[in-house]
Amino acid sequence: MRIYGDKRSGNCYKLQLLLALQGKTCEWIDVDILKGQTRTDGFLEKSANGKIPILEFDDGRVLSESNAIMHYLAAGSPFIPSSTYEFAKLLQWQFFEQYSHEPYIAVARYINIYLGLPEEKKAEFEAKQAGGYSALEVMERQLTETPFLVGDSLTLADISLFAYTHVAHEGGFDLTPFPAVRNWISLVKDQKGFIPLQG
Amino acid sequence: MRIYGDKRSGNCYKLQLLLALQGKTCEWIDVDILKGQTRTDGFLEKSANGKIPILEFDDGRVLSESNAIMHYLAAGSPFIPSSTYEFAKLLQWQFFEQYSHEPYIAVARYINIYLGLPEEKKAEFEAKQAGGYSALEVMERQLTETPFLVGDSLTLADISLFAYTHVAHEGGFDLTPFPAVRNWISLVKDQKGFIPLQG
């Protein structure tokens, strides 16, 4: 099986980081978002939603959505808690990431870093700030109570949220008012096998 | 335990429909989004992200995110496939729902039905149409191949996507060009225990 991804993308980095923390590897095929390589007929044939990362199996089956692929790659591992409540809590944080965090922090970073904050995108960039700070406040509240998002040990929830939170400054976000978030970033970086985002 | 929700909301309906299909009930506390009842100090104390639905346990713990709560309510049931691949596929559709479907179809419906499509929201309403139709095309492609989103039987993925798809017309979306989606809507409505959205 193989992953199609862009190594500058936080959504793709989630899979690289998870594999590294597990001491695993997977074939990787580079796809350049900025060159439109997720919108070609060939890519859309693999995955109709035209987004990366995707995981392709040797028999042709394809999984999309970074957070879903993580569950496949980490099935049965300690990164997925076995209690029904903690598992639902893990999912809560992953859905929070896709709805309330990524559309603000990742998109602001994309406009700033990938597109170079062009004049016509400045209003959209500014409009992303309030939502991004709200998401960071939600994380801060949890991380003041527990070292990781779902308790005392690292789960997929932390990997999902780490991907764009640790580069939030590239989207214009100042993490100074979020000491628990900054401490958590250090804890994730200290995990055995950790690799940095290659962006 | 009890659910806090607004019965007009598709995200809250997911839980009502899931419980009904399981023949279960749960205490329900009405929260009116339009009256700002998810932004009060009392509600934010329960759930920092200020969104409904939430599931509150008798010991004070709280789960948020509709799709995550569904996994708690349906744990061990046939609505959650046991194979690792099919389970990841179910999650793929739920993340697709929150990132690529709900922000277009549900938000267009909200602007149209809840807010009455005011002049100052018309541009935003129009801007939601392309993304909503793209999401419907992705669903159509899958539902042309399989009767339900993850194969031959109904899973949480279908309940998650049904919530806003079956009222997509209220967001200005015409389902005529999507026969497989329309057939799937009928299949869901035919399930034993089905209840309609009370909106």
Side-chain angles (χ1 to χ4, degrees):
Chain A
M1 66 189 187
R2 60 204 66 84
I3 294 166
Y4 292 75
D6 185 320
K7 287 178 179 169
R8 299 165 297 183
S9 151
N11 283 324
C12 297
Y13 171 57
K14 292 174 191 171
L15 305 189
Q16 294 182 294
L17 177 54
L18 171 60
L19 288 166
L21 293 175
Q22 292 184 296
K24 291 182 182 174
T25 57
C26 182
E27 184 186 351
W28 184 279
I29 296 173
D30 275 318
V31 175
D32 191 327
I33 309 170
L34 291 179
K35 289 185 181 156
Q37 291 178 350
T38 58
R39 311 303 304 175
T40 63
D41 288 349
F43 190 87
L44 292 171
E45 181 59 35
K46 292 184 194 299
S47 184
N49 204 28
K51 295 186 192 300
I52 48 170
I54 61 170
L55 178 66
E56 184 183 52
F57 296 86
D58 293 341
D59 63 7
R61 288 177 303 159
V62 168
L63 276 176
S64 62
E65 299 292 336
S66 57
N67 289 326
I69 296 169
M70 291 169 77
H71 283 266
Y72 185 86
L73 295 176
S77 82
F79 297 117
I80 302 179
S82 54
S83 98
T84 303
Y85 174 77
E86 288 188 331
F87 180 70
K89 206 73 186 170
L90 184 173
L91 290 179
Q92 172 193 306
W93 283 109
Q94 288 191 306
F95 286 112
F96 164 83
E97 193 263 339
Q98 284 291 285
Y99 197 86
S100 300
H101 185 287
E102 203 265 15
Y104 302 99
I105 294 177
V107 175
R109 173 177 176 262
Y110 180 84
I111 293 170
N112 191 37
I113 298 288
Y114 283 54
L115 305 183
L117 195 54
E119 194 59 37
E120 72 274 16
K121 287 280 188 183
K122 278 192 175 155
E124 186 183 349
F125 176 82
E126 290 301 328
K128 296 294 180 188
Q129 298 297 307
Y133 277 114
S134 293
L136 292 168
E137 282 166 22
V138 172
M139 292 178 68
E140 180 72 11
R141 186 166 130 184
Q142 181 63 50
L143 293 169
T144 302
E145 293 174 15
T146 52
F148 295 98
L149 290 166
V150 188
D152 292 333
S153 62
L154 184 134
T155 69
L156 297 188
D158 301 291
I159 299 172
S160 292
L161 267 307
F162 179 82
Y164 288 109
T165 303
H166 86 293
V167 289
H169 58 280
E170 295 181 356
F173 299 94
D174 176 12
L175 293 184
T176 308
F178 303 101
V181 170
R182 286 187 284 110
N183 180 62
W184 166 83
I185 288 173
S186 297
L187 285 178
V188 176
K189 287 183 175 174
D190 286 345
Q191 298 293 305
K192 184 170 181 296
F194 176 84
I195 53 166
L197 175 63
Q198 295 174 38
Chain B
M1 67 190 184
R2 60 205 64 85
I3 294 166
Y4 292 75
D6 185 321
K7 286 177 180 169
R8 299 165 296 183
S9 150
N11 283 324
C12 298
Y13 171 59
K14 292 174 192 173
L15 305 189
Q16 294 182 292
L17 177 54
L18 170 61
L19 288 165
L21 294 175
Q22 292 184 295
K24 291 184 182 174
T25 57
C26 181
E27 185 187 349
W28 184 279
I29 296 173
D30 275 318
V31 175
D32 192 327
I33 309 171
L34 290 178
K35 290 184 181 157
Q37 293 178 348
T38 56
R39 311 303 304 176
T40 63
D41 289 348
F43 191 87
L44 293 172
E45 182 59 35
K46 292 185 194 300
S47 184
N49 204 28
K51 294 187 193 300
I52 49 170
I54 61 170
L55 178 66
E56 184 183 52
F57 296 86
D58 292 342
D59 62 8
R61 288 176 303 159
V62 168
L63 276 175
S64 62
E65 299 291 336
S66 57
N67 290 325
I69 296 169
M70 292 169 77
H71 282 266
Y72 185 86
L73 295 176
S77 82
F79 297 117
I80 301 179
S82 54
S83 99
T84 303
Y85 173 77
E86 287 186 332
F87 181 70
K89 205 75 186 169
L90 183 171
L91 290 179
Q92 172 193 305
W93 283 109
Q94 288 191 307
F95 286 112
F96 164 83
E97 193 263 340
Q98 284 291 286
Y99 197 86
S100 299
H101 185 288
E102 204 265 16
Y104 301 99
I105 295 178
V107 174
R109 173 177 177 262
Y110 180 84
I111 294 170
N112 191 37
I113 298 287
Y114 283 54
L115 305 183
L117 196 54
E119 193 60 37
E120 71 273 17
K121 286 279 186 183
K122 278 191 175 156
E124 187 183 348
F125 175 83
E126 290 301 328
K128 296 293 180 190
Q129 299 297 307
Y133 277 114
S134 293
L136 292 168
E137 281 166 21
V138 172
M139 292 178 67
E140 180 72 10
R141 185 163 131 183
Q142 180 63 51
L143 293 168
T144 302
E145 293 174 16
T146 54
F148 295 99
L149 290 166
V150 188
D152 291 334
S153 62
L154 183 134
T155 69
L156 298 187
D158 301 290
I159 299 172
S160 293
L161 268 307
F162 179 82
Y164 287 108
T165 303
H166 86 293
V167 290
H169 58 280
E170 296 181 355
F173 299 94
D174 176 10
L175 292 184
T176 307
F178 304 101
V181 170
R182 288 187 284 110
N183 179 62
W184 166 83
I185 288 172
S186 298
L187 284 177
V188 176
K189 287 183 175 173
D190 286 346
Q191 298 293 307
K192 185 170 181 296
F194 175 84
I195 54 166
L197 174 63
Q198 295 174 37

